[in-house]
Amino acid sequence: MERLEDYSSYILGVIGILTLALSYFLLRTDPEAAVPYAVTPPAQAQPGWKGEVLAEPSLKVSGSSLIQCYCPATGESLGRVLPTTASGIDRAIGDAKEAQVQWAQTTFAQRRRVLKTMLKFVLENQEIIARVACLDSGKTMVDASLGEILVTAEKLKWTIDHGEEALRPERRPTNLLMMYKKNEVIWQPLGVVAACVSWNYPFHNLLSPVIASLFAGNAIIIKGSEATAWSSRYFATIASYALIACGHSSALVQSVTCWPDVAGHLTSHPDISHITFIGSRPVAHHVCASAAKALTPVCVELGGKDPAIILDDMSNSNFKRVCSILMRGTFQSAGQNCIGLERVIALPNVYTRLITHLTPLISALRPGSILNSSPDTPIDIGASISSANFPKLESLIQDAVAQGARLLVGGSQFQHPEFPRGHYFQPTFIVDVTPSMRIAQTELFAPVFLLMRAESVDHAISIANSTPYALGASVYGSSSRDLERVVREVHAGMVAVNDFAVTYMVQLPFGGMKGSGYGRFAGKEGLRGVCNQKAITRDRWPGVKTSIPGPMDLPLKGRGAAQRAWGMAQGIVWLGYGDWRGKVKGIKGLIGL
């Protein structure tokens, strides 16, 4: 008992220390904790809202420069937006440029706090975000969840967890000649960057470049499509209000919407340091030509004709799972997905089985407006953003059928009985398509399941590589040898094995090659892409510095000086890069032998 009393003071001391430590961890304030904030949602996104159904839904307003915003699923007016003028773009860039000077001095912890604040808002407001996206783009709530909210949450979380590591100064190796130097690469803010993004994912396409640009220390001018001008204002406010909540300037995020004749003022502006473009190939030519006037670098993400290659060795247990993936990959957002499945290329043993299994599934798909339908009436596919492309789609399908393809389901515009002013195309299943058909070479961006037959793995890879595009691809099967062969030989910027588009869900670099663009966003590569990559070399040891050897010092001195300088220069090269014999030769050259 006496021995226990001897230790009692130590025991009490330990308990006291543990109590203090626990209190500290429980009561401490996290300097990066998310800050609550609110954004008033648009009245149109409230349940039960009904708008005026336009007689002829169009973005143009006769006799006016205003943008007529409307819901493509119903034709209901969402209101009108005043487009940004050239002088408005100048003001936005000026305000962003001024705010960025202070933002560039913030720490990664401060930037993380802004992103954590945004992530908290997104998680807590999923329904209203999805409803706004559905109204402006016509998609379903599930499509909005998967294609808008899920991937935005992933980008926020990845940047919060790994962004600092990606932008941390990186040591680089040296060599024999430069052994007295130490080298590193650092990534610094560019200043004011811009992003011109497409309408198919109005929330994610707008927020994604904002996330990367802010974390890199930049300000950003974000130009959404005029087709989704209504939602762009609300979605941009989510980012700007997060900045305000964390004590920073909302001027760091500037949302502009303009007609094409004004967009060139933004893309050629000398104060823009980098442009991210997401859109079509024809528009990309204009953007890149405009950006070239100021020598502004552009990351170009265009469309694709993404193949899914189905190998013959697929197990029975995987067949239905893969079919479900193919259905989602094709009909997600009514096919308006840059990495959507545009071609399914199947080997002979599975080809007929796919037709038998998929035909009734595609026939059963129900288009409609999820926000206006009864809970008892499931909606599988939303609307297209516009009906302008429907005649071309019908022509491509008819041309393929004339050349031997079989149209099993759909194939034409759908007049919805409840939403006659909505833009709908029938869920379509066309088989026996060959590479020579126009439909096999053209990005459809539509709810069309296109099935092609390949006789072998060689043939499947050849078909996959037969288009001008090379964005994403996927391959399904059991043989590791065949799977890895497809991974190596298919032309693509991204490949998913036995899955669809999941490279983006782990923030691997996103982008393609050939006619699908160049550059990458997402992941470490994307984050570094909106930075100035600066190479730095410093002296490794005090007093050891570069000196020009006497025989090479300008001006050269004395008879034979040029020959001595040349001999020493050769000696330096041999010493640095020759084998041991070459190094001996180099030393001789240095000492003039």
Side-chain angles (χ1 to χ4, degrees), residues 193-417:
V193 300
C196 303
V197 299
S198 58
W199 45 261
N200 55 329
Y201 290 102
F203 176 64
H204 179 70
N205 284 352
L206 189 142
L207 262 290
S208 176
V210 169
I211 293 164
S213 299
L214 288 179
F215 194 81
N218 299 313
I220 183 168
I221 313 298
I222 185 82
K223 180 200 168 301
S225 167
E226 55 270 28
T228 50
W230 175 75
S231 61
S232 293
R233 295 182 300 177
Y234 171 69
F235 292 146
T237 303
I238 292 174
S240 57
Y241 277 29
L243 285 162
I244 294 171
C246 295
H248 305 290
S249 173
S250 62
L252 290 163
V253 176
Q254 299 282 339
S255 176
V256 301
T257 304
C258 60
W259 293 109
D261 61 334
V262 177
H265 189 75
L266 171 63
T267 52
S268 65
H269 202 288
D271 285 335
I272 295 297
S273 300
H274 181 278
I275 297 171
T276 299
F277 174 76
I278 303 174
S280 70
R281 192 172 179 178
V283 177
H285 285 291
H286 293 290
V287 170
C288 292
S290 176
K293 296 175 184 177
L295 296 180
T296 304
V298 186
C299 173
V300 181
E301 195 279 289
L302 308 178
K305 192 69 178 172
D306 287 12
I309 296 176
I310 317 298
L311 303 179
D312 262 347
D313 62 355
M314 185 189 301
S315 65
N316 290 333
S317 60
N318 271 330
F319 180 78
K320 287 187 177 181
R321 179 189 70 84
V322 170
C323 285
S324 293
I325 291 173
L326 299 178
M327 290 285 288
R328 174 58 64 181
T330 300
F331 295 108
Q332 166 81 15
S333 293
Q336 300 166 122
N337 186 0
C338 58
I339 52 171
L341 297 183
E342 288 264 339
R343 295 173 294 157
V344 176
I345 304 166
L347 270 64
N349 289 346
V350 74
Y351 186 83
T352 303
R353 190 178 177 194
L354 282 170
I355 294 175
T356 302
H357 182 76
L358 292 170
T359 301
L361 296 180
I362 297 172
S363 299
L365 293 175
R366 293 150 294 194
S369 172
I370 190 67
L371 299 183
N372 300 84
S373 299
S374 163
D376 299 326
T377 308
I379 298 299
D380 301 301
I381 297 181
S384 298
I385 194 72
S386 166
S387 60
N389 195 43
F390 290 172
K392 180 182 176 182
L393 271 174
E394 292 174 347
S395 174
L396 288 169
I397 292 167
Q398 291 163 8
D399 178 66
V401 171
Q403 295 183 59
R406 288 185 291 149
L407 179 62
L408 302 183
V409 181
S412 60
Q413 183 173 356
F414 175 58
Q415 293 294 333
H416 201 291

Side-chain angles (χ1 to χ4, degrees), residues 24 32 47 51 67 170 191 268 358 400 449 455 460 520:
Y24 169 76
E32 296 185 20
I67 301 170
E170 190 173 276
S268 65
L358 292 170
F449 195 117
E455 300 305 323
R520 297 293 185 269

Side-chain angles (χ1 to χ4, degrees), residues 37 114-122 156 207 211 238-239 242:
Y37 72 104
V114 173
L115 299 194
K116 288 180 179 181
T117 297
M118 288 174 60
L119 178 57
K120 178 180 171 64
F121 180 91
V122 170
L156 283 163
L207 262 290
I211 293 164
I238 292 174

